[in-house]
Amino acid sequence: MSATPDNRMTAAEIRRRVRANQALHAKTQELAASEVLSKRRAAQEAAAAKEVAELAAREAVAAVLRLFDNDVTVIAGLLDVPADELEREAKPVTAARAKEVVAELRDRAERPRARRSPAPRPSSAPAPEPVPGEASASPADGLTGAA
């Protein structure tokens, strides 16, 4: 195969392709570095959230032990968790912190529950049809149950 004049690339075309290849390579490196940073940040946030959750779990175990007069066997049976694991989780929590958690739980239990009003019915829903044989009341006539 011989090279024909139409298959030849000019020096300018070669330089253009080299620059395009270098730009693509630089963009790929930039995206890879950006991805590493975002993944590391997400991993750090997840680790921090895990630590917070583990601390809350240990405090909850200490509080429940305190509320059940440290009867580990009863709690282990209720939660289906080995007793030694419960004791190990509760051990790092101080008695003062366990008292605080119990006090927070009591405060929360004493607060009246917020009542949610029922969600309004969508107006596009069809109205229920009256059952034949039963009288319906109309707010306009003021009669209830009159046939």
Side-chain angles (χ1 to χ4, degrees):
M1 287 178 126
S2 62
T4 61
D6 356 327
N7 290 342
R8 288 185 172 198
M9 274 195 267
T10 63
E13 177 65 14
I14 292 173
R15 284 191 299 271
R16 186 193 66 75
R17 287 186 179 190
V18 167
R19 281 193 304 270
N21 190 18
Q22 288 172 339
L24 178 63
H25 186 69
K27 183 67 175 178
T28 304
Q29 287 176 330
E30 181 184 324
L31 287 172
S34 173
E35 186 173 353
V36 166
L37 289 174
S38 66
K39 300 284 182 175
R40 290 191 74 217
R41 188 177 310 117
Q44 289 169 343
E45 290 170 0
K50 180 183 178 215
E51 289 177 19
V52 168
E54 287 177 345
L55 176 63
R58 285 192 301 269
E59 289 175 347
V61 169
V64 79
L65 282 171
R66 187 167 190 79
L67 287 170
F68 280 80
D69 296 325
N70 290 323
D71 195 347
V72 179
T73 55
V74 169
I75 298 168
L78 288 172
L79 300 177
D80 197 29
V81 176
D84 59 334
E85 185 177 329
L86 288 173
E87 289 175 333
R88 187 175 47 248
E89 286 183 15
K91 196 169 196 172
V93 180
T94 63
R97 180 60 189 147
K99 280 183 182 179
E100 289 174 6
V101 172
V102 169
E104 290 171 7
L105 289 171
R106 285 191 176 127
D107 289 344
R108 208 166 86 194
E110 290 173 355
R111 267 188 267 147
R113 296 192 78 163
R115 302 282 179 180
R116 291 187 187 172
S117 60
R121 286 187 169 181
S123 59
S124 63
E129 295 183 25
V131 178
E134 287 186 19
S136 63
S138 170
D141 63 8
L143 301 174
T144 56

